[in-house]
Amino acid sequence: MHRTAALAAAALLAVAAAVPSALPAAASQAPEPADKPVPRPGLFLTVSGAENTWIRGVLLHCSPVPSGPHPDAAGACAALDAARGDLDSLPGEPHPCTKQYDPVTVSATGAWRGRPTAWHKTFSNACELAAATGAVFRF
């Protein structure tokens, strides 16, 4: 089971690395400071099922305008703006959920508005994820 999860994670990372940067050509050729890593623009968001039985991911750009393959980039960026980038403070879309236990784990890595971000959390089920995070992980 761990081998399958590792292969899925490696495949998603390979896809993320293959996505071309949104930086202009001149900026991408500028030397990076040796003492401080520069975060990649945008957030790579993932959602995975119990014991990594399935996983999916998408890249979200919020600056300068919402873009990327996220199906609701504008809504996701608006939610992140309302939370000032703090994924634990997303406004979400509160609604009642059943108590069925079918855990989903989400993560966000990269940069939001230039600020490095590395976050993950497990929810009891997809309904609780949707209630807590709204459009951000709806893909």
Side-chain angles (χ1 to χ4, degrees), residues 13 16 20 22 29 32 35 50 53 62 76 87:
L13 288 175
Q29 295 174 357
E32 295 181 13
D35 59 7
T53 52
C62 291
L87 284 107

Side-chain angles (χ1 to χ4, degrees), residues 88-139:
D88 286 316
S89 299
L90 289 171
E93 296 169 354
H95 56 268
C97 294
T98 66
K99 298 296 181 190
Q100 176 186 2
Y101 186 71
D102 188 14
V104 291
T105 300
V106 294
S107 69
T109 56
W112 175 80
R113 306 260 186 234
R115 186 173 56 191
T117 301
W119 178 87
H120 76 275
K121 189 170 184 175
T122 300
F123 293 87
S124 296
N125 58 49
C127 179
E128 289 188 8
L129 165 65
T133 64
V136 176
F137 292 96
R138 190 181 303 131
F139 53 87

Side-chain angles (χ1 to χ4, degrees), residues 8-20 40 44 57-59:
L12 279 173
L13 288 175
V15 169
V19 174
R40 292 192 61 148
F44 184 62
V58 69
L59 190 60

Side-chain angles (χ1 to χ4, degrees), residues 2-13 52 54-55:
H2 291 333
R3 183 172 177 226
T4 303
L7 289 173
L12 279 173
L13 288 175
N52 291 319
W54 56 268
I55 188 168

